[in-house]
Amino acid sequence: MDYGTTPLHGLPSRVTICEVGPRDGLQNEQAVLPVEVKAEFVARLVDAGHTLIETTSFVPAKWIPQLADAEELLDAITLAPGVRYPVLVPNERGLERALAAGVRDIAVFGSVTETFARRNLNRTVDESLAMFTPVVARAREAGLGVRGYLSMCFGDPWEGEVPVERVVEVATRMMALGCTQLSLGDTIGVATPGRVVAVLDALAAAGIPVDAIAVHFHDTYGQALANTFTALGHGVTTIDASAGGLGGCPYAGSATGNLATEDLLWHLHGLGIETGIDLQKMVDTSIWLAAKLGRPSPSRAVTALGDPLPR
Amino acid sequence: MDYGTTPLHGLPSRVTICEVGPRDGLQNEQAVLPVEVKAEFVARLVDAGHTLIETTSFVPAKWIPQLADAEELLDAITLAPGVRYPVLVPNERGLERALAAGVRDIAVFGSVTETFARRNLNRTVDESLAMFTPVVARAREAGLGVRGYLSMCFGDPWEGEVPVERVVEVATRMMALGCTQLSLGDTIGVATPGRVVAVLDALAAAGIPVDAIAVHFHDTYGQALANTFTALGHGVTTIDASAGGLGGCPYAGSATGNLATEDLLWHLHGLGIETGIDLQKMVDTSIWLAAKLGRPSPSRAVTALGDPLPR
């Protein structure tokens, strides 16, 4: 059924979705999927129209057993022209593995709060930035794109409210290292639109161009899409989302899944914003993957479009 | 944990939530609850701070067996000062029952589309407005407030896109009948913010004051809160929501629950918008009710705040 599109003044005409399901999503699922299933997942994402897919992680297998097969997965994927496949690397050893696998984009995962840096990275914020420095420098020398995750930008489960100045400080240092894009993470899903605007305005005032900003909202309290809509109205054109709402954060107890790609697509397409991605193919993929994971997708749109009722 | 509040320019400082859980919510649940449980539900809503609670329906019991105990429920409730308890009435017989029960606010349930009017009310739109005419007139003579529901304002599962002009026409006629408030229903949850703005702008241009408008979004595709945020930015200050996301629409196959009151409260309180309602009391109520209904709440905030993990 066609419900039409109604554009809204002040929003971008096109948005790039960074699909984080294969990495951020799967690393936080209980089930460990076979490499063939992961490769089919990535192939289905490409077939649906995705052009930016965070594919896996070179974090040591003892930390994230779900992604222990990073090399095999990259071997199993036929890289499509026009598609970028960033992989997460924690350190120089990870970068070497990524370069050996022929990857053209990496991501590093930082924190704006000290507590989360210590719990997730076992380092202070300063120490983690020091760890990233040679990684980003070498990656840029090799011509790679570098996505810098900033987690806990909108609240921290141990520290509570996170000062905007703290986000600006760490964001500025990450850009100075050479990151080509920053992904602002609401890792525990607590943000509301006023805080989103405050952070985006402060980053703009600090001279970080909005083109270098992505937003990464979790739907823990049901706020992810309203926050995304707010960011769109402030010029952000790269939105992180995960197929079917896969994922969360294993170090933050209260965190549930990422913004579901399908809920985001319904939103963007209703607003007449181009994504190049086929919603029904994504719904089919998330239903297929839910069966492999043995649990239903938490995405509202997947539930609605995937049920057998006529519409 | 306190994540702070960050107001946003252009939003109202205070919002009234119309809690529709006891009527719109429970009438669409499989389980039929005992009247004592319903009375406790309403008492808990009052205790949490609600002042506008759609309590039950005088629709014939053969249509909605879940609410067959309307008289007994109203007998069992101790009406609190400062709280309004609108009840749905379908016709003059329903109004007589409502008046006999001492109700001070009613609601009538209309449709902007012919297909839904026929399927839900077994009448054309004209015939349903003719049916409401004496009901609203008599209610207003008796000094009652009259809430007019307009369903399918943003899309219809059989007709698809609904022209904005059609919404304006039926809204204008409902106001002319004497309704004191219109609740614009996205009965199947398909709206996105551009459509919300188009409808609100068209109603304003037709001379319907925004103070007479409430919005009623369903979360079928995950859009309810983003649409609500959009409506807040356009001056709407009455928002329909249901405790724990109870409800849906039995006549529209694809419809899942209403916007959850708890997800809405997280949003409004994060923005510094007053509601007078205690979020944790609502979470506790929705968890209590979910046990009575035998299924978990679909609300994200209830899930996050109701789990036993520290935060």
Side-chain angles (χ1 to χ4, degrees):
Chain A
M1 184 54 73
D2 181 13
Y3 300 107
T5 61
T6 316
L8 198 53
H9 183 71
L11 298 185
S13 58
R14 189 174 176 90
V15 155
T16 299
I17 295 178
C18 182
E19 171 60 58
V20 301
R23 199 283 301 173
D24 189 16
L26 291 184
Q27 87 168 46
N28 295 300
E29 294 290 332
Q30 287 285 120
V32 179
L33 298 178
V35 70
E36 310 81 56
V37 172
K38 292 178 185 174
E40 180 172 348
F41 181 27
V42 173
R44 280 171 168 263
L45 295 172
V46 173
D47 180 58
H50 275 292
T51 56
L52 182 57
I53 302 168
E54 192 177 74
T55 303
T56 187
S57 166
F58 282 106
V59 169
K62 67 180 174 190
W63 296 355
I64 311 279
Q66 290 91 336
L67 304 182
D69 56 4
E71 272 94 355
E72 297 102 286
L73 176 60
L74 290 168
D75 272 349
I77 292 172
T78 306
L79 300 184
V83 179
R84 291 154 60 201
Y85 300 84
V87 300
L88 191 71
V89 303
N91 50 34
E92 290 189 85
R93 172 72 190 116
L95 177 62
E96 284 160 18
R97 294 172 67 196
L99 288 169
V103 158
R104 303 302 306 155
D105 292 270
I106 65 163
V108 296
F109 191 84
S111 170
V112 301
T113 68
E114 290 294 347
T115 312
F116 189 67
R118 200 166 280 288
R119 288 190 175 239
N120 189 32
L121 305 167
N122 200 28
R123 283 170 174 76
T124 66
V125 169
D126 281 351
E127 287 166 356
S128 63
L129 289 168
M131 179 174 67
F132 298 149
T133 302
V135 176
V136 178
R138 282 187 56 197
R140 293 300 305 283
E141 282 168 21
L144 306 191
V146 180
R147 178 162 239 261
Y149 280 104
L150 290 179
S151 49
M152 305 297 177
C153 287
F154 304 91
D156 176 288
W158 299 281
E159 299 184 16
E161 190 169 355
V162 173
V164 169
E165 300 70 28
R166 185 76 190 141
V167 181
V168 171
E169 185 206 326
V170 182
T172 303
R173 292 170 71 184
M174 291 279 273
M175 288 299 285
L177 293 185
C179 288
T180 51
Q181 184 170 67
L182 297 182
S183 174
L184 310 178
D186 184 17
T187 317
I188 55 169
V190 297
T192 45
R195 179 54 60 121
V196 174
V197 170
V199 169
L200 291 175
D201 282 353
L203 292 174
I208 298 178
V210 71
D211 286 352
I213 301 289
V215 288
H216 182 108
F217 292 117
H218 282 225
D219 209 25
T220 319
Y221 297 86
Q223 311 296 310
L225 195 59
N227 291 334
T228 298
F229 174 65
T230 302
L232 291 172
H234 282 69
V236 174
T237 57
T238 301
I239 312 290
D240 294 7
S242 85
L246 291 171
C249 174
Y251 301 98
S254 62
T256 53
N258 289 275
L259 172 61
T261 304
E262 294 85 354
D263 297 12
L264 175 60
L265 287 172
W266 186 277
H267 187 75
L268 296 173
H269 293 175
L271 284 160
I273 297 173
E274 285 182 41
T275 64
I277 300 168
D278 184 300
L279 171 57
Q280 191 59 51
K281 284 188 178 180
M282 286 304 300
V283 169
D284 295 344
T285 293
S286 289
I287 289 171
W288 164 83
L289 194 66
K292 304 288 184 192
L293 292 167
R295 62 153 192 76
S297 164
S299 159
R300 308 285 197 217
V302 168
T303 305
L305 292 169
D307 74 30
L309 291 166
R311 74 196 67 250
Chain B
M1 184 54 75
D2 180 13
Y3 300 107
T5 61
T6 316
L8 197 53
H9 182 72
L11 298 184
S13 59
R14 187 173 178 90
V15 155
T16 300
I17 294 178
C18 181
E19 170 61 56
V20 300
R23 199 283 301 174
D24 189 16
L26 291 185
Q27 86 168 47
N28 295 300
E29 294 289 333
Q30 286 285 121
V32 179
L33 298 178
V35 70
E36 310 82 58
V37 172
K38 292 178 185 173
E40 181 172 349
F41 181 27
V42 173
R44 280 172 169 262
L45 296 172
V46 173
D47 180 58
H50 277 291
T51 56
L52 182 57
I53 303 169
E54 192 177 74
T55 302
T56 186
S57 167
F58 282 106
V59 169
K62 67 180 173 189
W63 298 356
I64 311 279
Q66 290 92 336
L67 304 182
D69 57 2
E71 272 95 356
E72 297 102 286
L73 176 60
L74 289 167
D75 273 348
I77 293 172
T78 306
L79 300 184
V83 179
R84 290 154 60 200
Y85 301 83
V87 300
L88 191 70
V89 303
N91 51 32
E92 290 189 87
R93 171 75 190 116
L95 176 62
E96 285 160 19
R97 294 172 68 196
L99 288 168
V103 157
R104 302 302 306 154
D105 292 89
I106 65 162
V108 295
F109 190 82
S111 170
V112 302
T113 68
E114 291 293 348
T115 313
F116 189 66
R118 200 165 279 286
R119 289 191 175 239
N120 190 32
L121 305 168
N122 199 28
R123 283 170 173 76
T124 65
V125 169
D126 281 351
E127 288 165 356
S128 63
L129 289 169
M131 179 174 68
F132 298 149
T133 303
V135 176
V136 178
R138 281 187 58 196
R140 293 299 306 282
E141 281 168 21
L144 306 192
V146 180
R147 178 161 238 262
Y149 279 104
L150 289 179
S151 49
M152 305 298 175
C153 287
F154 304 92
D156 176 288
W158 299 281
E159 298 184 16
E161 191 169 354
V162 172
V164 169
E165 299 72 25
R166 184 79 190 140
V167 181
V168 171
E169 185 206 327
V170 182
T172 303
R173 293 171 69 183
M174 293 278 274
M175 289 299 285
L177 292 186
C179 288
T180 51
Q181 184 171 67
L182 298 181
S183 174
L184 310 178
D186 184 17
T187 318
I188 55 170
V190 297
T192 44
R195 179 54 61 124
V196 174
V197 170
V199 168
L200 292 174
D201 282 352
L203 292 174
I208 298 177
V210 71
D211 286 354
I213 300 288
V215 288
H216 182 108
F217 293 116
H218 282 224
D219 209 24
T220 320
Y221 297 86
Q223 311 297 310
L225 194 60
N227 291 334
T228 299
F229 174 66
T230 302
L232 292 172
H234 281 70
V236 174
T237 57
T238 302
I239 312 290
D240 294 6
S242 84
L246 291 171
C249 174
Y251 302 98
S254 62
T256 53
N258 290 275
L259 172 62
T261 305
E262 293 84 355
D263 296 13
L264 174 60
L265 287 173
W266 187 276
H267 186 75
L268 296 173
H269 294 175
L271 285 159
I273 297 173
E274 284 182 42
T275 64
I277 300 168
D278 185 301
L279 172 57
Q280 190 60 50
K281 284 188 177 180
M282 286 302 302
V283 169
D284 295 344
T285 293
S286 290
I287 289 171
W288 165 82
L289 194 65
K292 304 288 185 193
L293 293 167
R295 61 154 194 75
S297 164
S299 159
R300 309 286 197 214
V302 168
T303 305
L305 291 168
D307 75 30
L309 291 167
R311 73 199 67 252

